[in-house]
Amino acid sequence: MTSASPKTIQIFLPSGEPTGIRVAEITTRIVQLIEVPRKRLPEFFKMAESTQVGVYYLVAVPEDGSASQVYIGQTGDLRARLAKHDKTKDFWERVLVLVSRAHSLTPTHALFLEWLSIDTARKVGRYGDLNGNAGSRPHTPAPLEAECREMFETAQTLLATLGHPLFVPLPQPDARTTETELFYCRSGDVVGRGLFTNEGFVVLAGSVGRRQHVPSIQGTSDESFREKLISDGVMKIDGDTVVFARDHLFRSPSTAAVALLGRTANGWVTWKDHAGKTLDAVKRQAIGA
């Protein structure tokens, strides 16, 4: 995030349902973000915002912990563009739409915000990118670019607040990371390194796992989940092993361990710190104590 200052965010539920359409905004900013579950598109199309110029994010977040995916676009008519995507793109589960509360977003704003969103999402690498060739940076006058970057900062905050941290880098070990914050998964050729975070467990790039699945998980969701990580490019095959090509966030330590070991595992005891203490002892038992 570009700013760590305190913020007040207002979330409006047009239908009164927390799982329905949600409209998020920082009341002092001119843009708002509208989250629309795919099945609620007809309701969104009745809203005035659906005819505006906007930037949109089609997202899918698999329950199995494999790579989330995003397609980013912009349009002068959200209703028409999203109706087309509903017919032609299968992968997405919900769309997040960035519009101006003051109806001040122009096609020039939208083009730059689309480019900036794609460029930032690729650099962060949290979500699989489905945009293909996104084109070059559009020419944008300096005053308008400044407006766009302020809008983008707001979009970063609102997306993360609604559970889609597209532009928030995963935690990385650095000079301030103590050895006790790193955890290891070791078994034969398996050498995994990871961090326990507020969002889940991050397996770090370069971690090495077992290529083969044990017989007990063949034909199960665990096998499909590991194969999906390979097809998504999160893990790359290297002989009898798989290597994490990039950092990847898992929802639980156990899912992270399954990805590396190719078998069911309790990640709370499989992941250990440099002294051999389990993740459970370091994090959960320490809280109890």
Side-chain angles (χ1 to χ4, degrees), residues 203-276:
V203 175
L204 299 174
S207 293
V208 178
R210 187 175 294 121
R211 171 64 186 101
Q212 296 301 317
H213 320 287
V214 300
S216 61
I217 74 164
Q218 291 176 8
T220 70
S221 59
D222 283 339
E223 180 184 34
S224 300
F225 150 68
R226 293 189 83 234
E227 293 299 325
K228 186 71 163 49
L229 289 172
I230 293 171
S231 64
D232 287 343
V234 176
M235 301 192 307
K236 295 189 180 297
I237 299 172
D238 183 11
D240 293 332
T241 66
V242 288
V243 179
F244 273 71
R246 60 178 184 265
D247 300 341
H248 186 73
L249 173 68
F250 293 92
R251 296 189 180 184
S252 74
S254 295
T255 310
V258 170
L260 285 163
L261 295 169
R263 60 173 172 80
T264 56
N266 180 350
W268 289 99
V269 298
T270 302
W271 290 98
K272 299 177 181 180
D273 69 7
H274 71 294

Side-chain angles (χ1 to χ4, degrees), residues 77-176:
D77 187 342
L78 287 161
R79 184 184 301 166
R81 181 65 58 83
L82 295 180
K84 180 179 179 181
H85 286 327
D86 189 37
K87 293 179 179 178
T88 61
K89 294 187 184 297
D90 293 332
F91 81 94
W92 60 284
E93 301 160 350
R94 58 191 61 237
V95 61
L96 295 109
V97 177
L98 185 70
V99 295
S100 167
R101 296 165 60 202
H103 296 254
S104 59
L105 207 64
T106 69
T108 305
H109 286 102
L111 279 169
F112 185 84
L113 284 166
E114 177 192 41
W115 171 83
L116 182 58
S117 295
I118 295 171
D119 184 63
T120 306
R122 287 178 173 172
K123 289 176 179 175
V124 169
R126 268 186 181 250
Y127 284 52
D129 168 32
L130 299 180
N131 277 87
N133 183 6
S136 58
R137 173 175 175 159
H139 173 71
T140 310
L144 194 146
E145 179 178 332
E147 290 180 18
C148 288
R149 291 191 179 277
E150 184 175 336
M151 294 177 191
F152 183 72
E153 179 187 344
T154 302
Q156 285 180 299
T157 301
L158 296 178
L159 280 162
T161 299
L162 292 178
H164 302 281
L166 279 166
F167 309 122
V168 182
L170 289 172
Q172 288 279 334
D174 56 27
R176 294 170 297 175

Side-chain angles (χ1 to χ4, degrees), residues 8-11 24-31 101 154 158:
T8 298
I9 295 172
Q10 174 177 290
I11 298 178
E25 60 185 46
I26 298 174
T27 54
T28 55
R29 310 285 176 85
I30 67 167
V31 295
R101 296 165 60 202
T154 302
L158 296 178

Side-chain angles (χ1 to χ4, degrees), residues 179 182-186 191-194 270-274:
E179 189 65 24
L182 284 169
F183 290 88
Y184 302 88
C185 176
R186 296 189 176 100
V191 183
R193 297 170 65 245
T270 302
W271 290 98
K272 299 177 181 180
D273 69 7
H274 71 294

